[in-house]
Amino acid sequence: MKTTNEAVKLGDAIDPKHEIEILCANCGHDVDEAELTADTCSDCGEALNLRQNTKIYATSVPAAGGSTLN
């Protein structure tokens, strides 16, 4: 199951766009809601042992700043 969350501006901060993928740790099968409810992988038949992959996207580059030394 893959979930994508779009970037959200939170005041001065940004919650970046990110994707979360939930897989069966035994066989790598992409798990869906029915399998989560049944707590069993339909691909390998084992009890679910989950693995999560997260992909985070860079949504902006902060402005260059700082102070100059004299």
Side-chain angles (χ1 to χ4, degrees), residues 33-53:
E33 288 289 333
E35 292 166 316
L36 286 174
T37 302
D39 199 30
T40 304
C41 177
S42 64
D43 196 47
C44 68
E46 297 290 325
L48 276 182
N49 186 11
L50 300 176
R51 181 177 83 207
Q52 177 176 306
N53 295 333

Side-chain angles (χ1 to χ4, degrees), residues 17-22 51-57:
K17 176 181 177 181
H18 57 283
E19 293 178 353
I20 301 171
E21 182 178 31
I22 299 175
R51 181 177 83 207
Q52 177 176 306
N53 295 333
T54 304
K55 184 187 295 185
I56 300 173
Y57 294 84

Side-chain angles (χ1 to χ4, degrees), residues 9 12-14 16 57-66:
K9 186 165 176 94
D12 292 338
I14 295 176
Y57 294 84
T59 55
S60 65
V61 177

